[in-house]
Amino acid sequence: MPAEETAVVDLSAWVCPLPLRDSPNIVMGHGGGGAMSAELIEHLFLPSFGSAADAELGDSAVFDVGGVRLAFSTDSYVVKPMVFPGGTIGDLAVNGTVNDLAMAGAQPLVMSTAFILEEGTALTDIAGIAKALGEAAHVAGVRLVTGDTKVVDAGHGDGVFINTAGIGIVADGVNINPTRAQVGDVVIVSGDIGVHGVAVMSCREGLEFGTEVRSDCAALNGVVADMIATGVDIHVLRDPTRGGVAATLNEIAQASNIGVALVERDLPIPADVRDACGLLGLDPLYVANEGKLIAFVPRDDADRILEAMRGNSLSAGAAVIGECVAEHRGMVVARTALGGNRVVDLPAGEQLPRIC
């Protein structure tokens, strides 16, 4: 690379309050989907990519090809363990990419799959993961059309890592984007939150909570299709994965320059998730989900959207949890059960690493 094109990475511009900001090396927090991830992209990757970068930094890119609107997304999966209550890394890899496409209003069509396998991993384990992946693709209605396989030395992987990429079609008139949230919109979540992260953590650490917490891992393209079919102008859709509901709402508030006001008592948090988070010192708002979505829609259309969502088993517990306000723009504030307010910050890293 010519000297004049060499990317300059200014570590002094990074503002995350953690002392990890002084580290010259990658740390786990950089993969958590919070402030550290955002700063890694903004201050390292984008300057390094230079003029080749052309992205709005969303989970999916939407663009026109020959008059057809396409959505494109890619994601990698490193969840530990590979099999957890309610799912595996295989169906997670399909559902995660399907959901990223669906959050742009796209109907997913095709996907690629790439496996990075660790030497010594049992073929029966890999076969089980591959079968789960294929079954998830069948349920979601997507075709697996290309892929790749690599093997790394024993001790240099963790069984199986998977990368998937997907392409879908966005219908004319659908304009769903994180920048479109408006003052007066209501915020809807499709069901119980925090389930996936707690399910993975309980399995990883051998914890028992009296009842088994199972991941909510699921493809949501059918739910989104039901919502779009109402004709409502849906402003924003996002699936609150890494960083949970808190990270997702903060990103939308900043992208749209609006404030988000939550009501804590309206948050659908199952008792077992609340108890587990209390035991582990976690906040359910920051715990990952893999089968839930958040929607921002005009207040007058909320009932129509809720009716459509509640008619689908994957979103039967849909509920309004807050609204967009003109105050505290770019911030998320929650009204507590005691009547006070607390700021729900963008997480720096991640409470539970490697949950997707």
Side-chain angles (χ1 to χ4, degrees), residues 77-134:
Y77 300 87
V78 298
V79 64
K80 181 179 180 180
M82 298 183 296
V83 179
F84 46 85
T88 74
I89 192 173
D91 37 0
L92 184 65
V94 169
N95 294 337
T97 294
V98 165
N99 290 346
D100 284 346
L101 293 171
M103 296 309 111
Q107 185 57 44
L109 297 178
V110 296
M111 288 181 56
S112 67
T113 59
F115 286 79
I116 300 174
L117 310 175
E118 183 184 11
E119 182 184 23
T121 305
L123 289 176
T124 53
D125 292 344
I126 297 171
I129 297 300
K131 182 178 179 181
L133 191 151

Side-chain angles (χ1 to χ4, degrees), residues 136-161:
H138 176 73
V139 171
V142 297
R143 291 182 296 132
L144 306 175
V145 295
T146 189
D148 183 48
T149 304
K150 295 291 189 298
V151 176
V152 297
D153 297 337
H156 290 77
D158 209 343
V160 178
F161 295 157

Side-chain angles (χ1 to χ4, degrees), residues 103 185-193 223 227 232 234 236-240 245 248-249 252 260-262 266-268 292-310 315-324:
M103 296 309 111
D185 283 356
V186 298
V187 182
I188 297 172
V189 68
S190 63
D192 293 343
I193 65 172
V223 175
M227 297 170 69
V232 169
I234 302 168
V236 183
L237 290 175
R238 282 289 302 275
D239 55 333
V245 170
T248 297
L249 293 181
I252 295 169
V260 175
L262 298 178
D266 293 338
L267 294 169
K292 299 297 185 297
L293 65 79
I294 290 176
F296 284 62
V297 301
R299 179 176 298 279
D300 291 344
D301 296 320
D303 288 342
R304 268 198 294 165
I305 286 290
L306 285 169
E307 182 180 3
M309 295 177 73
R310 290 168 179 167
S315 52
V320 174
I321 60 172
E323 62 180 343
C324 296

Side-chain angles (χ1 to χ4, degrees), residues 226-257:
D226 292 342
M227 297 170 69
I228 291 175
T230 65
V232 169
D233 181 17
I234 302 168
H235 292 162
V236 183
L237 290 175
R238 282 289 302 275
D239 55 333
T241 53
R242 294 178 304 167
V245 170
T248 297
L249 293 181
N250 270 279
E251 290 167 1
I252 295 169
Q254 293 168 15
S256 295
N257 192 32

